[in-house]
Amino acid sequence: VLGVSPQEDTAIDDQVQEVDREPVSEEQGKEIVAEARENLVACMSVEGDFRDAAVEDLNFRVGRQWPDDIKQSRTLQKQPCLQFNLIPKFVRQVTGDARQNVPGINVVPENSLASQKVADVLKGVIRYIEHSSVASYVYSKGLDQSASCGRGFWRVDCDYADDQSFDQEIKILPIINTMSVYPDPLAVGPTYTNAEWYIVREWMAKKAFERKHPGKNPQPDALGGTPGRQSDWYANDAVCIAEYWRKEPVDDELLEVQVFPTALPDMPAPPAFVTQITRSEMLKKYGDINIVVIRTRKIKRPKVVCYTITG
């Protein structure tokens, strides 16, 4: 394991937790890598036919429309391999509508504790994030991939504003290679929101790997008995780096509480209200405010953790 970055599901005004290269024990690292490799093999076995067809579609899209054996035979006979690639035109008919009517994220107040005023403020923040990320390109790129091969992805990430700052900015980023994403095959629905894990892979030259991760072995002699092929993770001069995202359950308690806000100086106290909140959120959000607990129940909330690994 090269590093781990936990990101808890918290309220929108909470800071994103980021721990760079948090220590992981050797035993825990082996279990995480073995689990990731097992999940990768499971995804490959379930999606094998789809991925083969998707790669064929992408090759057809860029103009590789003759089967290799027939093309080689005609080349030896000095016969032409004519092709008139019409696929981009039809793909643009789909993506063109999206470019004319750029999709965007909307914020809607959902219950009595929300307000249209706060929703409008959050909508403005999101519009700024979309503008600074050139999100219209990111969305159209994902749609282009989806129209070309049946699936497209983009991602939301956080990074420091610049080298002289501790402030982080939210960015909407494209995933150029849609085949580099391996979702949980048990996930259902158009956006896989109930997925328990994701794997995002990237190949890196050995020399670049050694510079970025000094002291780490760029290619062990064997993978060590857990599922997966050597070629899935290592090539002659390249190493596969994977982000292994997974949900980890955290024990918590859901509370229905009556909150009695503290009055400000020279002002009457705001009226009490009833809300539902987890105990961990309550301690962070309300602190010493007077609270009466009405009822409780035990829950498991998900914490999303990303492990950066090799094979």
Side-chain angles (χ1 to χ4, degrees):
V1 175
L2 305 177
V4 54
S5 301
Q7 296 184 342
E8 292 200 28
D9 291 349
T10 57
I12 194 166
D13 58 344
D14 289 346
Q15 293 183 348
V16 175
Q17 296 185 356
E18 180 172 334
V19 183
D20 187 33
R21 304 196 191 289
E22 181 180 288
V24 177
S25 68
E26 184 176 353
E27 192 63 31
Q28 183 186 9
K30 289 181 180 179
E31 293 176 0
I32 292 167
V33 172
E35 179 185 299
R37 284 171 45 189
E38 185 176 346
N39 287 337
L40 180 65
V41 170
C43 182
M44 287 179 170
S45 63
V46 172
E47 294 192 340
D49 293 340
F50 165 78
R51 288 182 171 271
D52 292 342
V55 171
E56 185 178 350
D57 289 343
L58 291 172
N59 286 331
F60 205 84
R61 161 78 191 275
V62 298
R64 300 171 187 163
Q65 299 181 355
W66 283 81
D68 292 337
D69 54 343
I70 297 178
K71 184 175 182 180
Q72 185 177 6
S73 173
R74 292 180 67 84
T75 301
L76 292 175
Q77 297 175 25
K78 297 184 179 181
Q79 293 178 326
C81 296
L82 300 179
Q83 62 182 30
F84 304 92
N85 192 2
L86 303 179
I87 298 299
K89 179 180 73 173
F90 293 108
V91 171
R92 284 194 295 270
Q93 288 181 357
V94 177
T95 59
D97 291 339
R99 288 190 173 95
Q100 290 179 348
N101 303 280
V102 180
I105 300 172
N106 194 21
V107 182
V108 179
E110 192 177 52
N111 54 39
S112 60
L113 299 178
S115 69
Q116 186 61 49
K117 184 177 180 179
V118 174
D120 291 339
V121 171
L122 295 178
K123 196 182 301 183
V125 173
I126 291 172
R127 275 201 297 268
Y128 168 76
I129 294 170
E130 290 181 315
H131 175 75
S132 63
S133 304
V134 196
S136 58
Y137 162 76
V138 178
Y139 299 154
S140 63
K141 182 66 178 177
L143 179 60
D144 183 272
Q145 292 176 334
S146 182
S148 299
C149 69
R151 181 184 285 170
F153 292 100
W154 44 275
R155 67 189 299 164
V156 180
D157 207 346
C158 296
D159 200 2
Y160 291 107
D162 53 61
D163 291 339
Q164 306 298 320
S165 174
F166 289 101
D167 295 332
Q168 294 189 46
E169 293 184 345
I170 298 174
K171 296 290 185 182
I172 300 173
L173 303 174
I175 294 180
I176 303 300
N177 180 11
T178 188
M179 293 293 103
S180 68
V181 182
Y182 296 80
D184 180 357
L186 297 181
V188 295
T191 56
Y192 300 161
T193 52
N194 63 333
E196 292 296 320
W197 55 266
Y198 264 87
I199 295 175
V200 184
R201 307 205 309 159
E202 176 188 8
W203 285 91
M204 180 184 297
K206 277 187 182 179
K207 291 184 178 179
F209 176 87
E210 291 169 350
R211 286 196 301 268
K212 190 172 183 179
H213 306 285
K216 300 292 184 180
N217 188 352
Q219 184 167 351
D221 296 331
L223 292 183
T226 50
R229 300 171 300 179
Q230 190 90 359
S231 58
D232 291 336
W233 296 94
Y234 303 103
N236 290 334
D237 295 313
V239 180
C240 183
I241 308 296
E243 297 175 26
Y244 178 42
W245 297 85
R246 73 174 186 181
K247 292 179 182 177
E248 297 181 353
V250 177
D251 292 328
D252 209 335
E253 192 175 9
L254 181 65
L255 309 177
E256 186 175 53
V257 298
Q258 188 171 16
V259 182
F260 298 89
T262 304
L264 298 175
D266 302 324
M267 293 184 64
F273 60 91
V274 175
T275 186
Q276 295 174 348
I277 192 170
T278 62
R279 185 174 294 277
S280 57
E281 288 176 342
M282 183 190 72
L283 295 175
K284 288 188 295 184
K285 190 169 184 178
Y286 294 118
D288 297 330
I289 293 178
N290 294 325
I291 291 176
V292 175
V293 177
I294 301 173
R295 55 180 174 171
T296 69
R297 73 182 181 93
K298 300 291 184 181
I299 61 170
K300 288 186 180 293
R301 59 178 175 81
K303 180 175 71 171
V304 177
V305 179
C306 177
Y307 296 95
T308 306
I309 66 174
T310 62

